[in-house]
Amino acid sequence: LPILVENASLAPQVQIISTKANPTTITGNSMIGGEVTVPAGIVVADSTLVFPGYEFRLDPAEYSGKVLKPTQKQLLSIAQSYQKLK
């Protein structure tokens, strides 16, 4: 499936979803932290920084030069998922 990752850094546990109809692109010195799923049709460019645990909306969108941080609710969800693993 068409995925373009160029001049970007991806942490472990990043999942990228892409389709022919909605390709996903991550470029331009962008960085994506762990525990992130990038849905189909998302464009991350121009040094966008995605913090661990951030949740993208499912609608195709472009993020350029942004800093994307998870909400407190998203962080609590991740913490609870780790507690279940114990």
Side-chain angles (χ1 to χ4, degrees):
L1 298 175
I3 299 173
L4 174 62
V5 177
E6 184 175 86
N7 295 325
S9 297
L10 305 177
Q13 297 181 335
V14 171
Q15 180 180 6
I16 301 172
I17 301 168
S18 189
T19 65
K20 288 183 182 181
N22 290 309
T24 300
T25 303
I26 304 168
T27 62
N29 297 316
S30 295
M31 296 173 38
I32 300 181
E35 301 288 336
V36 173
T37 297
V38 184
I42 297 294
V43 176
V44 176
D46 298 325
S47 299
T48 293
L49 175 59
V50 182
F51 275 75
Y54 181 79
E55 292 181 16
F56 286 95
R57 294 178 311 203
L58 297 178
D59 301 326
E62 184 171 334
Y63 300 88
S64 180
K66 304 283 184 185
V67 175
L68 306 174
K69 296 180 181 179
T71 64
Q72 185 175 5
K73 182 179 177 181
Q74 292 168 343
L75 289 174
L76 288 173
S77 175
I78 292 171
Q80 289 171 348
S81 71
Y82 279 109
Q83 288 177 345
K84 290 178 185 176
L85 294 175
K86 288 183 177 182

